[in-house]
Amino acid sequence: MRLRIASTSDDDTVKLWSLAGVAPLKTIQGRITCLAITPDGKLLASRNSDNTVKLWRLPDGALLKTLHGHKGLVTCLAIAPDGKLLASGSEDYTVKLWSLPDGAPRGYLNAHIVLHRLVITADGKRLAYGYPTMKLWRLPDGAPLKAPEEYR
């Protein structure tokens, strides 16, 4: 069956689901509280309590790679619409950029705050976060962009 949904839970698991059945296809153990899936459904990125991001093959849930680089807890993840870039925000006030599917580091951005949400625009050319003001970066080089006045 084809994976359709992934869920996290307080029981420290991620469950991979098919919409056709009521039982999960696979359960991944670990303290995972944030995740993102590539648009083609072949890769899941998870935030773990050890300041890492893990990449899992879908739908079988095999661990492919652990990404190290954050000095604080990872708080949010976003994957570009083409599935080739992962952004991870952290309590260390940075956003790390990673190539997918190999997980190679592509750079980092200084956010200056703890991030709780990241969004990559539909065209894959900008990364945004906002609180209390919106910030925009150009991708893939990470150059800061000025946010429109209406978002301030």
Side-chain angles (χ1 to χ4, degrees), residues 8 14 31-36 44-48 74-77:
T8 63
V14 170
R31 184 87 174 109
I32 300 168
T33 57
C34 179
L35 52 87
L44 180 140
S46 69
R47 163 210 125 151
N48 295 67
V74 175
T75 55
C76 52
L77 301 168

Side-chain angles (χ1 to χ4, degrees), residues 97 106-110 125 127 136-145:
L97 302 175
R106 293 202 38 198
Y108 73 96
L109 312 168
N110 286 312
K125 295 181 180 180
L127 175 80
L136 294 170
W137 289 293
R138 185 176 59 218
L139 294 175
D141 66 352
L145 299 170

Side-chain angles (χ1 to χ4, degrees), residues 12 23 34 47 50 56-57 59 68 80 82 85 100 102 106-108 110 117 130-131 134 137 139 147 151:
D12 296 339
C34 179
R47 163 210 125 151
D50 61 357
W56 308 85
R57 184 178 60 219
H68 300 272
D82 66 3
L85 181 74
L100 292 179
D102 65 357
R106 293 202 38 198
Y108 73 96
N110 286 312
R117 300 282 186 271
Y131 182 81
M134 176 182 269
W137 289 293
L139 294 175
Y151 294 114

Side-chain angles (χ1 to χ4, degrees), residues 9-73:
S9 174
D10 286 340
D11 67 358
D12 296 339
T13 63
V14 170
K15 295 194 184 298
L16 308 177
W17 303 85
S18 164
L19 294 182
V22 293
L25 299 171
K26 174 81 177 178
T27 298
I28 299 170
Q29 297 292 331
R31 184 87 174 109
I32 300 168
T33 57
C34 179
L35 52 87
I37 299 174
T38 55
D40 65 6
K42 294 181 179 179
L43 188 73
L44 180 140
S46 69
R47 163 210 125 151
N48 295 67
S49 60
D50 61 357
N51 304 343
T52 65
V53 175
K54 294 189 186 294
L55 300 179
W56 308 85
R57 184 178 60 219
L58 296 178
D60 68 348
L63 178 62
L64 298 174
K65 190 166 190 174
T66 300
L67 309 180
H68 300 272
H70 283 292
K71 294 177 182 150
L73 184 66

